[in-house]
């Protein structure tokens, strides 16, 4: 299946299931369309003459990947899409040389997922019950995750349309982030940063990376797209920590825009679910592979030899 078919088939299958609404957005639904609008504002500046031979391999925080296209944090609704869904996703991402990122609830089989050899990042929410949050942080590390993610943006839980889905959360303080840092012995990634001040605090807390993200429209309404705030965040972190983006990235062209703005990795949320629904393990593998192949075609004719060589002047912004 090509990408268009994976998306069409995946959306159809998920739309027929009762949980299809989890793919929707908070309150007015503004964010999803706006994400697409922002990504579509950039075109590529071709350099046909003396084209380059591109590669997509990268090494981020000591993890070797065949592609900078990774899974964004999600657990729900993977087990409801396919019985062995989380394992199918882990194996597909391993085959594609990508990375798996789980969300809440933490998958019960996290240890088995890690045993597949795919690099795993597991997220923890800032539960009001901070003891639970710290217990979760300990458990995911025992399961053998590669990095730990903290949902810095989930202080008001998760909301889709008018329905509060995940509650019982409270915003973290800088001191709490520093406390979390002390309890995490592997790289720590703060997820959901969308501005200079939070970015600076993550650096101060000792985070190794951050995901610039509007949480796929599942937290607050009217949040900007990651690309709108990348410049201020790149400047704020000054190359000290790794930047990852997600939100609405669907094709190789989208991923290259994220990299050109200074991200090292680009996350996919809903597309992973579409791939899984359409074709199971094969569907997720094809999804990552097709996007990576699309990237290579474009990279060869815009002068980008590897994911770290994408620069802003390779893009032209609509007036
Ligand atoms: C069904 C679903 C579940 C999600 N669960 C989590 C989660 O548990 N933790 C988290 O940090 N983000 C979660 N997200 C947000 C994703 O990690 C990611 O930020 C977002 O989906 C990216 O946008 P995209 O779906 O347009 O690719 C979820 C998103 C979806 C669609």
């Amino acid at each position: 299946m090509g990408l268009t078919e994976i998306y069409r088939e995946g959306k159809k299958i998920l739309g027929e299931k009762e949980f299809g609404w989890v793919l929707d957005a908070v309150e007015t639904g503004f964010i999803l369309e706006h994400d697409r609008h922002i990504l579509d504002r950039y075109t590529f500046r071709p350099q046909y003459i003396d084209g380059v031979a591109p590669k997509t391999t990268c090494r981020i925080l000591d993890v070797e990947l065949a592609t900078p296209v990774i899974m964004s944090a999600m657990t729900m609704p993977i087990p409801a899409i396919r019985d062995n869904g989380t394992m199918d996703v882990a194996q597909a991402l391993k085959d594609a040389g990508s990375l798996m990122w789980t969300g809440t609830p933490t998958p019960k089989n996290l240890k088995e997922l890690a045993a597949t050899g795919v690099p795993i990042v597991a997220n923890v929410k800032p539960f009001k019950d901070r003891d639970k949050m710290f217990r979760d942080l300990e458990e995911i590390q025992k399961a053998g995750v590669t990095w730990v993610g903290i949902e810095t943006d989930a202080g008001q839980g998760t909301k889709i349309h008018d329905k509060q889905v995940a509650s019982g959360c409270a915003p973290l303080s800088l001191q709490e982030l520093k406390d979390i840092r002390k309890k995490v012995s592997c790289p720590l990634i703060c997820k959901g940063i969308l501005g200079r001040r939070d970015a600076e605090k993550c650096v101060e807390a000792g985070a190794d990376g951050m995901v610039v993200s509007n949480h796929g429209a599942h937290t607050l309404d009217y949040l900007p797209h990651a690309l709108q705030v990348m410049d201020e965040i790149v400047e704020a972190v000054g190359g000290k920590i790794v930047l990852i983006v997600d939100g609405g990235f669907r094709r190789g062209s989208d991923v290259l825009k994220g990299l050109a703005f200074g991200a090292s990795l680009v996350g996919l949320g809903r597309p992973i679910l579409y791939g899984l629904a359409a074709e199971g393990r094969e569907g997720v593998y094809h999804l990552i592979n097709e996007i990576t192949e699309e990237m290579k075609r474009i990279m060869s004719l815009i002068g980008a030899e590897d994911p770290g060589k994408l620069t802003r002047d390779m893009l032209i912004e609509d007036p």
Side-chain angles (χ1 to χ4, degrees), residues 166-241:
S167 50
C169 295
L172 293 162
S173 66
L174 174 58
Q175 185 53 51
E176 284 176 316
L177 266 182
K178 289 180 179 174
D179 295 343
I180 290 170
R181 170 70 283 178
K182 282 190 209 132
K183 300 277 182 190
V184 172
S185 54
C186 59
L188 173 70
I189 316 290
C190 293
K191 178 159 183 279
I193 304 305
L194 282 174
R196 169 190 299 278
R197 275 197 286 186
D198 279 348
E200 285 166 353
K201 284 179 186 164
C202 292
V203 173
E204 189 181 338
D208 300 279
M210 66 182 73
V211 186
V212 183
S213 164
N214 60 29
H215 208 115
H218 279 183
T219 52
L220 306 182
D221 208 354
Y222 287 95
L223 291 176
H225 186 260
L227 293 193
Q228 293 178 277
V229 294
M230 274 301 276
D231 287 346
E232 68 180 68
I233 289 183
V234 165
E235 196 185 300
V237 308
K240 291 194 199 91
I241 71 174

Side-chain angles (χ1 to χ4, degrees), residues 55-312:
K55 60 182 187 64
T56 54
T57 49
C58 50
R59 186 182 173 86
I60 309 297
L61 295 173
D62 285 337
V63 175
E64 294 281 355
L65 297 170
T67 174
V69 184
I70 61 167
M71 175 183 178
S72 285
M74 280 183 311
T75 301
M76 193 194 70
I78 292 172
I81 295 175
R82 273 181 116 87
D83 283 347
N84 211 16
T86 50
M87 188 52 86
D88 283 347
V89 171
Q91 283 165 336
L93 293 170
K94 162 85 181 145
D95 294 344
S98 179
L99 172 149
M100 182 175 196
W101 203 311
T102 65
T104 45
T106 303
K108 291 199 172 66
N109 60 346
L110 193 58
K111 207 168 168 183
E112 288 76 47
L113 299 178
T116 63
V118 71
I120 296 239
V121 191
N123 257 21
V124 170
K125 274 195 166 47
F127 296 115
K128 266 185 205 151
D129 179 351
R130 299 299 204 226
D131 288 343
K132 172 173 169 43
M133 179 186 77
F134 279 110
R135 271 197 313 276
D136 283 1
L137 284 168
E138 206 178 308
E139 272 167 31
I140 62 174
Q141 290 181 84
K142 273 195 206 143
V145 295
T146 311
W147 307 336
V148 162
I150 180 80
E151 290 181 41
T152 320
D153 59 346
Q156 289 293 341
T158 306
K159 192 178 179 193
I160 305 173
H161 296 304
D162 295 331
K163 191 168 172 180
Q164 186 78 29
V165 184
S167 50
C169 295
L172 293 162
S173 66
L174 174 58
Q175 185 53 51
E176 284 176 316
L177 266 182
K178 289 180 179 174
D179 295 343
I180 290 170
R181 170 70 283 178
K182 282 190 209 132
K183 300 277 182 190
V184 172
S185 54
C186 59
L188 173 70
I189 316 290
C190 293
K191 178 159 183 279
I193 304 305
L194 282 174
R196 169 190 299 278
R197 275 197 286 186
D198 279 348
E200 285 166 353
K201 284 179 186 164
C202 292
V203 173
E204 189 181 338
D208 300 279
M210 66 182 73
V211 186
V212 183
S213 164
N214 60 29
H215 208 115
H218 279 183
T219 52
L220 306 182
D221 208 354
Y222 287 95
L223 291 176
H225 186 260
L227 293 193
Q228 293 178 277
V229 294
M230 274 301 276
D231 287 346
E232 68 180 68
I233 289 183
V234 165
E235 196 185 300
V237 308
K240 291 194 199 91
I241 71 174
V242 167
L243 296 178
I244 302 166
V245 285
D246 76 15
F249 294 85
R250 297 293 178 267
R251 312 233 33 151
S253 47
D254 294 337
V255 172
L256 293 176
K257 293 174 192 180
L259 300 178
F261 267 80
S264 298
L265 299 172
V266 175
L268 307 177
R270 291 164 181 82
I272 299 283
L273 308 179
Y274 298 142
L276 183 68
E279 263 196 311
R281 175 176 172 177
E282 286 290 294
V284 177
Y285 174 78
H286 281 141
L287 171 89
I288 302 289
N289 216 31
E290 291 285 319
I291 292 179
T292 306
E293 288 306 312
E294 283 185 351
M295 287 172 61
K296 284 188 196 157
R297 284 185 77 238
I298 301 172
M299 287 166 77
S300 71
L301 295 180
I302 61 170
E305 281 165 289
D306 68 60
K309 301 249 170 65
L310 269 292
T311 52
R312 278 294 289 283

Side-chain angles (χ1 to χ4, degrees), residues 42 44 315:
Y42 299 91
F44 293 104
L315 301 180

